[in-house]
Amino acid sequence: MSEPAISVQNLYRSFGELQAVNGVSFDVAPGSVCGFIGANGAGKTTTMRIIASLDYPNEGRVTICGHDVMNKPAKVRSLIGWMPDHFGNYSHVTVLEYLDFYARALGYRGKERQMRVQEVMEFADLLPLADRFSNKLSKGMTQRLGLGRSLLHDPEVLIMDEPAAGLDPKARVELKHLIRILAEEGKTIFISSHILSELGEMCDHLLFMNEGRLVHQGDAESLRVHGKQAGVSLYRVHVVGPAEELANWAAMNPNVEFLETLRLGGRIEIDSADPEKAAYLLARMIQDGLKISEFHREERNLEDAFIDLLEATNQPVPNPIVSPPQLPINS
Ligand code: ATP
């Protein structure tokens, strides 16, 4: 691999007794979209703040495009765009004034500043909001403003801490669209979320944090093939009537585990990857009086796979790992 855009080696950060980041190492390839996933408190923000030169580790080394974050923070800041999970807006400052202020602070002057602000507003779809007060925007608009601000100096590496948190489905799709364009332009994007499914399809590479440690890295598929995947299969079963009947049936059957209730039935896990076994169990369900309206095999989702991985390696399972409604990534 060419020089990593982000390289984190043997990183430790504690707060008193609490080891928030506990020996974390990873590299992010230039031009890739890397998802940083973990439950609340896993250590994502702490790691990202160190990468963004906003905090010091107790131990370890971080470089951005080969430049040491601790020794060359000014150089690093010119290379990164940092979008924190929360940032302040000023009352009575319009979107245009807000971006113009930051462009000025970054050293842009005259025509060049105007052009840069215009480009960023165009990209983040902020032109229609130019005269709106920045503290009177919706959450989605605010995130686009934050993204615009972090892009003003055209950074090579964009670090985004939970940018989709609190966004409605439409705003989430818009944000994903913008991130995809930035990736196509060749920027490296490092993006955190506590929601696995949010990042699964958007990222080339995923890093999974749990209790300060990196517990897995790879693409979404690499996580799915972990744990007990090989020996089981998941089925979505819709029933006419209460889902409890399906749950009760599963409880009576040693080869089936009832995983969760759905609007029209539930998800079950069968202790075999063999479709014949599934066909046999389906026939049994019908024989036993369950009114099945739909029965189909499901991809193992990332949440299931992550929990399997933690269980397989005897690590504490965070609770809850939340799954939002599935959204079409390419819409
Ligand atoms: P979230 O999704 O909730 O933001 P996270 O994965 O980003 O979680 P961090 O914010 O990095 O997690 O926090 C990791 C742990 O370190 C948590 O237990 C948190 O309470 C603790 N922590 C973070 N910053 C500080 C601090 N400045 N002082 C004391 N404890 C801290």
Side-chain angles (χ1 to χ4, degrees), residues 7-15 19-26 46-47 50-51 55-63 68-70 212:
S7 176
V8 171
Q9 298 308 322
N10 213 21
L11 199 70
Y12 289 83
R13 176 66 163 110
S14 57
F15 299 105
Q19 196 66 54
V21 180
N22 198 353
V24 166
S25 300
F26 59 84
T46 305
T47 306
I50 295 170
I51 295 173
D55 191 14
Y56 292 105
N58 298 100
E59 223 181 297
R61 184 163 188 258
V62 178
T63 59
D68 191 302
V69 169
M70 266 69 82

Side-chain angles (χ1 to χ4, degrees), residues 15 18 20 38-47 85 161-162 194:
F15 299 105
L18 179 82
N40 294 124
K44 306 180 297 294
T45 300
T46 305
T47 306
D85 50 355
D161 193 4
E162 301 259 5
H194 62 283

